[in-house]
């Protein structure tokens, strides 16, 4: 704990939980080290960071900014005006707050904010969660002092001399999830003598994954598998009436540490934070990446793990046909389960948040 100097940190990252939660984790670690520090988040108006950041106890200001749409839409006509507005407001925010360091974790708002910060001589650090860099971070990389990454081979996108391989920040309550097995079984009312499958489609949900799980419910019942199914808030109304012994449907899972602890096998999308958490948890995983994301980055994230024998990669287009045979093969093969667990655990970066903050500290003394 360091209290002698009152530093000011400005943090920007948003649009999705994959950008927001790393930003909050980094701020929390900085706050532990510098209890007197001041923090200001900058996000995009009407995006989820405007709700999630205040819930975490931090102030946030919103910019009128969004990304370019792939198709020709009226939103693209507004983009130049939004960018100019955001650059002007970023200048005002930085002039008033006077940060010592600017930190970006991706998302629309971090582009104008860190661009202005770097032009004012404020040292900038960016953190890239995915194995395929986002447009914002690629654009900012030339001006950033440090670039913290989670995957190898990021020299394809960033200047090699700026890259630090830290991993992604993850929630700290997962570090001891392995000790919570009994607590988790009680919490979810599970039988200790029956295998448990955890299905994670993201907080909003994944339509194709949900359709796959729904189609497979009779299969799970036949194979005597308990299922904790997080279907997402968009799909909860569709599936909440499912009444099959051993299957429970959730819109959200507020105790992810216990959900991971309860699981024997996990089926998940392959967003960057999910992948990092699953490496830490070390359970056998079947990744079904979303093909509907920028640059197909979820498939690239999953490939980075499956190539090292840390998970099974099942493409969404093949899932309806191949899933049951792949899952059953894994279910009955304990050697494979153990191999996958060991391999994915070896890829974990439990000290990622601390390592990133170590890099931020170096910028404070430049």
């Amino acid at each position: 704990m360091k209290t002698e100097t009152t530093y000011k940190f400005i943090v920007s990252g948003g649009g999705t939980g994959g950008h927001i939660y790393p930003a909050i984790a980094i701020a929390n670690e900085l706050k532990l080290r510098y209890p007197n520090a001041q923090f200001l988040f900058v996000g995009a108006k009407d995006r989820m960071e405007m709700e999630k950041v205040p819930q975490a106890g931090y102030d946030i200001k919103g910019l009128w900014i969004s990304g370019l749409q792939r198709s020709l839409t009226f939103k693209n006509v507004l983009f130049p005006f939004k960018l100019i507005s955001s650059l002007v407001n970023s200048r005002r925010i930085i002039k008033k707050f006077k940060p010592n360091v600017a930190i970006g974790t991706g998302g629309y708002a971090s582009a104008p904010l860190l661009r202005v910060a770097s032009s004012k001589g404020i040292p900038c650090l960016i953190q890239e969660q995915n194995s395929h860099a986002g447009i914002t971070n690629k654009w900012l990389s030339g001006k950033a002092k440090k670039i913290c990454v989670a995957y190898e081979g990021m020299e394809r996108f960033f200047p090699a001399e700026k890259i630090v391989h830290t991993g992604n920040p993850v929630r700290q309550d997962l570090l001891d999830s392995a000790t919570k097995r009994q607590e988790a079984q009680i919490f979810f009312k599970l039988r200790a003598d029956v295998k448990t499958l955890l299905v994670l489609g993201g907080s909003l949900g994944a339509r194709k994954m949900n359709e796959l799980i729904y189609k497979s419910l009779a299969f799970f019942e036949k194979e005597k598998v308990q299922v904790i199914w997080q279907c997402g808030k968009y799909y909860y109304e569709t599936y909440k009436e499912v009444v099959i012994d051993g299957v429970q449907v959730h819109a959200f899972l507020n105790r992810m540490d216990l959900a991971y602890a309860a699981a024997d096998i996990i089926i998940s999308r392959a967003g960057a934070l999910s992948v990092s958490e699953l490496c830490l948890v070390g359970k056998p995983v079947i990744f079904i990446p979303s093909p509907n994301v920028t640059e197909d980055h979820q498939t690239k994230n999953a490939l980075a793990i499956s190539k090292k024998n840390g998970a099974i990669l099942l493409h969404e287009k093949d899932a309806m046909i191949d899933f049951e045979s792949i899952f059953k093969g894994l279910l009955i093969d304990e050697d494979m389960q153990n191999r996958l667990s060991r391999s994915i655990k070896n890829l974990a970066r439990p000290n990622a948040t601390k390592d990133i903050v170590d890099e931020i500290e170096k910028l404070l003394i430049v």
Side-chain angles (χ1 to χ4, degrees):
M1 185 182 291
K2 303 162 186 178
T3 60
E4 63 277 6
T5 305
T6 302
Y7 289 115
K8 293 183 177 182
F9 300 101
I10 198 161
V11 187
S12 186
T16 67
H19 296 313
I20 297 165
Y21 297 122
I24 292 171
I26 291 166
N28 288 344
E29 178 63 24
L30 281 165
K31 197 172 184 179
L32 277 175
R33 299 191 193 189
Y34 301 97
N36 296 331
Q38 296 178 34
F39 295 86
L40 179 63
F41 279 69
V42 177
K45 286 181 178 178
D46 303 321
R47 302 290 289 189
M48 65 186 290
E49 58 263 31
M50 302 306 292
E51 175 188 350
K52 298 297 183 185
V53 169
Q55 286 175 358
Y58 295 101
D59 293 332
I60 186 168
K61 292 188 178 296
L63 301 177
W64 186 45
I65 189 69
S66 61
L68 279 167
Q69 307 299 307
R70 294 181 186 179
S71 56
L72 290 173
T73 69
F74 180 65
K75 289 182 179 180
N76 282 348
V77 176
L78 289 175
F79 178 78
F81 302 99
K82 290 183 176 182
L83 182 59
I84 291 166
S85 168
S86 295
L87 288 166
V88 169
N89 282 323
S90 293
R91 286 191 183 95
R92 288 175 183 158
I93 291 167
I94 286 170
K95 184 178 180 180
K96 184 176 181 181
F97 188 66
K98 297 181 174 63
N100 297 99
V101 176
I103 302 152
T105 59
Y108 310 135
S110 63
L113 184 86
L114 269 74
R115 196 72 173 189
V116 169
S118 63
S119 73
K120 300 294 185 185
I122 297 163
C124 298
L125 176 143
I126 57 177
Q127 195 260 330
E128 174 57 55
Q129 298 90 35
N130 289 291
S131 59
H132 192 284
I135 293 171
T136 297
N137 279 346
K138 283 191 282 189
W139 187 62
L140 292 170
S141 62
K143 300 293 184 181
K145 296 289 186 184
K146 290 287 183 180
I147 304 167
C148 296
V149 302
Y151 291 91
E152 297 171 355
M154 298 304 285
E155 298 82 4
R156 294 172 294 157
F157 310 107
F158 303 131
E161 69 276 8
K162 297 182 179 183
I163 293 174
V164 184
H165 192 196
T166 58
N168 283 325
V170 296
R171 46 192 125 195
Q172 294 305 293
D173 60 358
L174 301 185
L175 293 173
D176 61 348
S177 64
T179 66
K180 300 178 181 178
R181 177 81 168 182
Q182 188 173 5
E183 180 187 355
Q185 289 171 339
I186 294 169
F187 182 85
F188 286 106
K189 300 180 174 63
L190 299 168
R191 287 178 54 183
D193 60 336
V194 176
K195 292 282 188 182
T196 300
L197 168 66
L198 172 63
V199 180
L200 302 172
S203 58
L204 301 180
R207 181 171 64 88
K208 290 288 188 181
M209 266 185 66
N210 285 331
E211 290 173 355
L212 173 68
I213 299 305
Y214 184 73
K215 172 181 173 286
S216 304
L217 290 177
F219 166 74
F220 294 136
E221 190 174 26
K222 178 185 173 186
E223 297 298 325
K224 296 181 173 57
V225 175
Q226 302 172 115
V227 182
I228 301 171
W229 177 12
Q230 188 230 320
C231 66
K233 74 173 187 178
Y234 286 170
Y235 300 96
Y236 184 65
E237 291 300 315
T238 303
Y239 298 108
K240 69 178 183 180
E241 302 300 334
V242 168
V243 182
I244 293 179
D245 187 39
V247 177
Q248 47 186 282
V249 183
H250 301 266
F252 303 99
L253 291 168
N254 293 322
R255 289 297 305 271
M256 281 303 304
D257 58 327
L258 296 184
Y260 285 132
D264 294 292
I265 296 173
I266 300 170
I267 298 170
S268 177
R269 286 303 204 193
L273 285 200
S274 295
V275 172
S276 295
E277 288 185 356
L278 290 165
C279 288
L280 198 64
V281 169
K283 299 289 179 75
V285 179
I286 299 174
F287 283 122
I288 307 179
S290 170
N292 307 311
V293 292
T294 307
E295 303 285 353
D296 197 20
H297 68 255
Q298 285 203 10
T299 299
K300 295 179 175 74
N301 293 345
L303 270 170
I305 305 299
S306 63
K307 281 180 177 177
K308 296 185 177 180
N309 301 312
I312 295 171
L313 169 58
L314 176 59
H315 293 284
E316 188 176 89
K317 63 182 175 61
D318 303 322
M320 282 293 184
I321 296 171
D322 296 338
F323 170 71
E324 290 185 9
S325 62
I326 288 172
F327 181 82
K328 186 167 183 178
L330 178 58
L331 184 67
I332 62 177
D333 191 339
E334 291 198 5
D335 286 341
M336 185 190 295
Q337 293 174 32
N338 292 332
R339 284 197 305 274
L340 290 173
S341 291
R342 284 195 302 271
S343 297
I344 198 169
K345 191 85 171 174
N346 286 338
L347 302 174
R349 291 271 184 160
N351 297 318
T353 310
K354 292 178 181 178
D355 291 343
I356 292 166
V357 172
D358 286 347
E359 296 302 319
I360 294 170
E361 284 192 321
K362 294 174 186 176
L363 299 180
L364 291 171
I365 58 176
V366 170

